Amino acid sequence: MKLQQLRYIWEVARHNLNVSATAESLFTSQPGISKQIRLLEDELGVQIFQRSGKHLTEVTPAGKAIIAMAGEILDKVDNVRHVAQEFGDEHKGTLTIATTHTQARYVLPPLIKKFIGRYPGVALHMHQGTPVQISELASKGTADFAIATEALELFSNLVMMPCYHWNRSVLVPRKHPLAQNGGSLTLEAIAEYPIVTYVFGFTGRSQLDKAFDAAGLSARVVFTASDADVIKTYVKLGLGIGIIASMAYDSRLDAELACLDASHLFEPSTTKIGFRRGIFLRGYMYDFINLFAPHLTRDVVDAAVRCSSEEELEELFRDLEMPTY
């Protein structure tokens, strides 16, 4: 059994049994991968993949167990490399973050600037996507950290830590009736207008829908997007009133829009940072987490890693104070 063979079966499973795509991603040949998988199956005496002709069709029950263990072994190999790198030069390496547009555009820039100033030898990479895509990237080890509000709980192999609470604002053109009202904003008043907001599953959208449902109201959502800047563009065009994360309003760039506080109408959402359980966290990784969420010190992160259940994690963070935006 060779480490290369374990990597091949892991990557083939990750590429939805597409051997050609796997070969391309690993800069090797399709026949070479197929041969090594066959040799591993012969050595183990079990089929890892079912086949139809030359094509892989599904993973066998034995294959699922073997591939899971292969993933654990490959993680440990990566951790060995990371340990060596940490003791070789703790200020050099790579850090890959997967996050949403709102985080990348409005929250992370000052933190990234500070981090790069502190660790100029660390290559930083960022992937943007849906919360599910973000969580999956971290779950599979493609990204070191996932930063999102939704979907992190869908992946049981992620250690998830709360970073901050946030709420929403309503954006309208400055001459809009809601901007002239002067009173406290209500769900009933919002429901009278077409709404432009996030795609479901994005940036706390579920809390918005829950609030309207609980009030027995129907939100007339006419346009959705994953990007707060896109939402603001269509509000400016008069398509509807916008509901976005308050942090995504820029008073200088969005001067033609009035920003109305809606935090009293919706339950706050919590942005979390997650990483794959079992990965070796280098010193600069701890530092990045602490820059993003100051209450997440190295000791707190290590305590979170030791938690064996969601209940333990909740207990750990129950009394920690977090900022609200």
Side-chain angles (χ1 to χ4, degrees), residues 170 172-190 192-193 258 260-261 264-265:
V170 170
V172 295
R174 292 205 170 270
K175 294 183 178 180
H176 192 279
L178 288 180
Q180 310 302 316
N181 188 7
S184 181
L185 198 63
T186 66
L187 286 175
E188 288 77 11
I190 294 173
E192 292 180 10
Y193 298 95
L260 312 177
D261 178 41
H264 59 291
L265 300 177

Side-chain angles (χ1 to χ4, degrees), residues 204-263:
R205 166 70 188 274
S206 57
Q207 297 289 37
L208 184 151
D209 294 313
K210 286 178 184 176
F212 280 102
D213 289 343
L217 297 170
S218 178
R220 189 155 50 100
V221 178
V222 297
F223 182 85
T224 63
S226 58
D227 184 325
D229 290 338
V230 172
I231 292 171
K232 288 186 284 187
T233 296
Y234 284 90
V235 172
K236 292 173 184 177
L237 290 175
L239 194 65
I241 66 174
I243 303 179
I244 66 169
S246 297
M247 68 190 94
Y249 176 75
D250 186 316
S251 59
R252 182 176 56 86
L253 297 177
D254 305 318
E256 61 193 279
L257 296 177
C259 181
L260 312 177
D261 178 41
S263 59

Side-chain angles (χ1 to χ4, degrees), residues 37-283:
I37 291 175
R38 285 286 193 188
L39 288 173
L40 179 60
E41 289 177 325
D42 290 343
E43 180 182 347
L44 297 176
V46 296
Q47 268 193 296
I48 297 172
F49 301 104
Q50 294 281 9
R51 294 168 174 80
S52 176
K54 294 183 178 180
H55 299 287
L56 305 182
T57 56
E58 63 178 310
V59 182
T60 66
K64 290 178 181 177
I66 292 168
I67 289 169
M69 286 186 283
E72 294 172 6
I73 291 168
L74 293 171
D75 276 348
K76 292 186 183 299
V77 171
D78 285 339
N79 283 345
V80 169
R81 293 195 184 99
H82 291 151
V83 170
Q85 290 169 346
E86 181 71 8
F87 284 93
D89 190 339
E90 63 182 18
H91 289 86
K92 287 187 176 180
T94 62
L95 180 61
T96 303
I97 302 159
T99 191
T100 62
H101 167 267
T102 298
Q103 301 294 330
R105 169 69 178 82
Y106 294 100
V107 181
L108 287 171
L111 182 153
I112 297 289
K113 183 179 180 181
K114 185 179 291 187
F115 180 83
I116 290 175
R118 191 175 295 181
Y119 297 99
V122 175
L124 200 58
H125 308 286
M126 186 180 292
H127 297 286
Q128 286 181 236
T130 68
V132 171
Q133 290 169 337
I134 290 162
S135 302
E136 188 173 15
L137 286 170
S139 178
K140 290 182 176 180
T142 305
D144 297 304
F145 296 143
I147 299 173
T149 300
E150 310 271 3
L152 288 173
E153 70 280 355
L154 299 178
F155 295 84
S156 59
N157 66 337
L158 294 181
V159 178
M160 300 175 298
M161 300 175 295
C163 300
Y164 62 85
H165 304 303
W166 60 270
N167 218 307
R168 296 145 193 82
S169 291
V170 170
L171 301 185
V172 295
R174 292 205 170 270
K175 294 183 178 180
H176 192 279
L178 288 180
Q180 310 302 316
N181 188 7
S184 181
L185 198 63
T186 66
L187 286 175
E188 288 77 11
I190 294 173
E192 292 180 10
Y193 298 95
I195 295 171
V196 181
T197 191
Y198 298 107
V199 175
F200 187 82
F202 250 92
T203 316
R205 166 70 188 274
S206 57
Q207 297 289 37
L208 184 151
D209 294 313
K210 286 178 184 176
F212 280 102
D213 289 343
L217 297 170
S218 178
R220 189 155 50 100
V221 178
V222 297
F223 182 85
T224 63
S226 58
D227 184 325
D229 290 338
V230 172
I231 292 171
K232 288 186 284 187
T233 296
Y234 284 90
V235 172
K236 292 173 184 177
L237 290 175
L239 194 65
I241 66 174
I243 303 179
I244 66 169
S246 297
M247 68 190 94
Y249 176 75
D250 186 316
S251 59
R252 182 176 56 86
L253 297 177
D254 305 318
E256 61 193 279
L257 296 177
C259 181
L260 312 177
D261 178 41
S263 59
H264 59 291
L265 300 177
F266 306 106
E267 287 294 319
S269 294
T270 302
T271 290
K272 297 180 180 180
I273 188 167
F275 54 85
R276 187 174 179 175
R277 190 173 295 279
I279 71 167
F280 177 77
L281 293 173
R282 299 188 62 187

